[in-house]
Amino acid sequence: MSKSRKHGVFAVSGDVVVLPTKQYEDVRDAITVAAALETVFKQMQIVGHRQRTIESYEYIFNQFMTVNRLQYVEDISVESIYHYLDVLEVSPRTKLIRLKSIKAVLSKFYNNSWIKDRIWAIIHIKVDKEVKEGAKESDIDKLLHLIDQTTFIGFRDAAAIKLMYKTGIRISTLGELRERHIDFDNLFLKLDGLALKNHKFLKLPIDEEVAAILKVLIKLNDGVRNHFGTGNHNVFITQNGLAMNTNKSSNCASSKQLNKYAKRYGLKNINAHAIRRAYAESLLEKGASVALISKALGHSDLAVTTQYLDLDIEEVANNLRGIF
């Protein structure tokens, strides 16, 4: 029978094993994934990440945590990432998107010294290159002709399609577009960092037709906002006078409108990305350089633009050689 170190209420049995100091410190310092995410998302907000981006990371990483029943950051392993990817019943391309989000968050864990090694760097998903074509100008013209522009929704959607095709702006930028971004005197869109994905300033020309359409739309917006008592300066608003960028489904709602029109009128390649690609392809056909098109699209890398235009690597190299 073991002897006690002390007698009475505070006696400690000799059978009790006292944790070594180092092990105790590890337990004390362990950080939960939930606490780490809260800190990371605050950091992202401070440096200017969009709320939509943060919400996307949050959704995917919480799904990753749930699948693996993770509680502490130190529990994250290569095996847990592979397990998450394995149970996902989605396409390889979607898995790649999810993996990129997981890696982005883990990189921030690493930067905060909560993870010692970049364990995720060895994980890669290969997907076949998906060649996406731009919308045909004839289909865009047909769509604009068929949309009922005597209604507010119809006119708004037609204005959005026309603006995207003439400037190549993303559908997300439509939701962020404000009246102050339009220079009607000099016929330019002056887009600041808050309106663009890459947070850089971009200046794009518009023609008089687009300017006239936007002026009519803004006037219609004033009437809608006055009727519902809403206050904003967004160029594209809902039929209830609300900004279309107030929730994470706003882009989806705009995309659904395009999908609805495509099905209704039998148009196969009408969507926001196809219209943006059509703009890029039209610039290329008119002789614009890849570098110029890249700037107009707001791409941070020429490689993205060449892939966007589906340019052959040899074609790019030969064209570059011709310059020298």
Side-chain angles (χ1 to χ4, degrees), residues 62-70 80 83-85 87-88:
N62 281 335
Q63 186 183 57
F64 167 65
M65 288 169 53
T66 302
V67 166
N68 287 286
R69 298 181 180 179
L70 297 172
S80 65
H83 176 65
Y84 169 68
L85 296 173
V87 301
L88 287 178

Side-chain angles (χ1 to χ4, degrees), residues 159-195:
I161 293 167
K162 194 77 172 181
L163 184 62
M164 284 191 291
Y165 181 57
K166 289 288 188 176
T167 63
I169 61 174
R170 294 179 174 88
I171 199 166
S172 58
T173 303
L174 283 176
E176 300 291 341
L177 194 67
R178 305 293 198 275
E179 294 174 15
R180 61 181 171 81
H181 291 137
I182 307 173
D183 181 351
F184 285 110
D185 293 332
N186 299 297
L187 297 179
F188 281 107
L189 290 185
K190 295 182 177 180
L191 305 171
D192 54 32
L194 294 177

Side-chain angles (χ1 to χ4, degrees), residues 24-42:
Y24 171 78
E25 289 176 351
D26 286 346
V27 173
R28 178 193 63 196
D29 294 338
I31 181 171
T32 65
V33 177
L37 287 177
E38 183 178 359
T39 298
V40 163
F41 293 150
K42 284 182 179 178

